[in-house]
Amino acid sequence: MSSNSNYDTRSIKFRLWAYFAAFGLGIVALIWFLQIFFLNYSYEEMKIGEVTRVATSISNSYERNDKNLTTSIQELSIINDFYVMMESQNGILLFSPEQETRLPIQIYLDQTSKLKHLLDTSDETDVSFRMNTGLEDYQTLAYGRRITSKDGNTANLYIFSPLYPVTSTINILKNQLFYVTIVTISLAAILSVYFANRISRPIKSVTRCALVMG
């Protein structure tokens, strides 16, 4: 009889446990949904925003002739997974990831030429276009901005950024999401049992007293 009461699906205790468990599972489902939404729909928009922010930061450093400009560009490109190049109006390479070679970069040669042409023919200070990588839904943003120092020296800044999550990013997010899911489900199970017992106990006591008195 005791076993039947413990597993009575109509009891207050069971219903409270079910509500708390459903709440925990709902949180997990929401986390997964937001994560999938982020990867599929928001990632590209956020990366474009990061490119613009980094370009503005580099532009401000170049404008004030920051002595640590090269170091800043290297750090920003590594942190944000960007490929950054900068050249003078005469085509002299001022910065690239292969700075020590001082040789023209071949990997984005056609794209930098196109960006330079767009900057020369446009009234805008920055231009951009999407590059096909050969795979469907996998594109790279090619971004260019004309920057000027306080001495009047003008340069072209080029930034190339993948508009899709790189493999390392996906793996990190999956691992984090896995652990978050395990912890959330465990806590939800423990807390649901605890609160269900705490809340249902006084209600049962009142019910028993009422039955005795009745």
Side-chain angles (χ1 to χ4, degrees):
M1 184 157 183
S2 140
S3 174
N4 289 337
S5 64
N6 287 337
Y7 294 97
D8 184 3
T9 56
R10 293 175 296 179
S11 66
I12 294 177
K13 180 178 179 180
F14 181 85
R15 290 183 179 181
L16 287 172
W17 174 84
Y19 292 151
F20 282 115
F23 178 74
L25 292 175
I27 292 177
V28 173
L30 180 62
I31 292 173
W32 276 94
F33 170 77
L34 291 176
Q35 201 68 44
I36 293 172
F37 178 83
F38 164 75
L39 287 176
N40 291 341
Y41 301 102
S42 300
Y43 190 87
E44 179 174 330
E45 184 176 338
M46 292 180 67
K47 289 297 287 185
I48 293 174
E50 284 181 2
V51 170
T52 305
R53 177 182 58 79
V54 168
T56 300
S57 177
I58 295 174
S59 177
N60 292 337
S61 297
Y62 183 78
E63 182 180 355
R64 62 175 183 268
N65 291 329
D66 188 355
K67 295 180 180 179
N68 298 318
L69 177 61
T70 299
T71 303
S72 298
I73 296 177
Q74 289 174 336
E75 291 177 352
L76 289 170
S77 61
I78 292 173
I79 292 173
N80 295 281
D81 193 31
F82 294 160
Y83 189 96
V84 183
M85 295 171 57
M86 191 166 64
E87 67 177 11
S88 68
Q89 284 289 83
N90 299 325
I92 299 175
L93 190 64
L94 301 177
F95 174 85
S96 77
E98 296 82 3
Q99 181 74 24
E100 65 275 7
T101 65
R102 307 300 296 177
L103 294 175
I105 306 303
Q106 300 297 324
I107 184 172
Y108 291 122
L109 185 60
D110 293 338
Q111 288 75 19
T112 53
S113 298
K114 182 176 179 179
L115 287 171
K116 187 176 186 304
H117 174 73
L118 291 174
L119 287 170
D120 290 338
T121 57
S122 173
D123 295 330
E124 302 293 332
T125 56
D126 57 346
V127 295
S128 64
F129 62 88
R130 286 170 171 76
M131 300 164 42
N132 292 321
T133 60
L135 298 175
E136 187 178 359
D137 297 329
Y138 286 79
Q139 293 184 320
T140 295
L141 177 69
Y143 176 93
R145 176 181 289 199
R146 185 147 290 166
I147 56 180
T148 306
S149 69
K150 62 181 180 181
D151 298 332
N153 296 320
T154 303
N156 293 330
L157 173 67
Y158 307 123
I159 300 177
F160 299 90
S161 170
L163 294 178
Y164 51 90
V166 294
T167 304
S168 59
T169 303
I170 294 176
N171 290 336
I172 290 172
L173 291 176
K174 282 183 177 179
N175 289 335
Q176 289 180 343
L177 204 54
F178 173 78
Y179 290 117
V180 168
T181 300
I182 295 299
V183 171
T184 303
I185 291 177
S186 300
L187 286 176
I190 295 171
L191 291 176
S192 62
V193 172
Y194 173 76
F195 284 114
N197 288 329
R198 286 293 300 271
I199 296 173
S200 63
R201 190 177 298 121
I203 296 176
K204 287 181 177 180
S205 298
V206 172
T207 304
R208 288 196 205 95
C209 290
L211 290 174
V212 170
M213 295 175 63

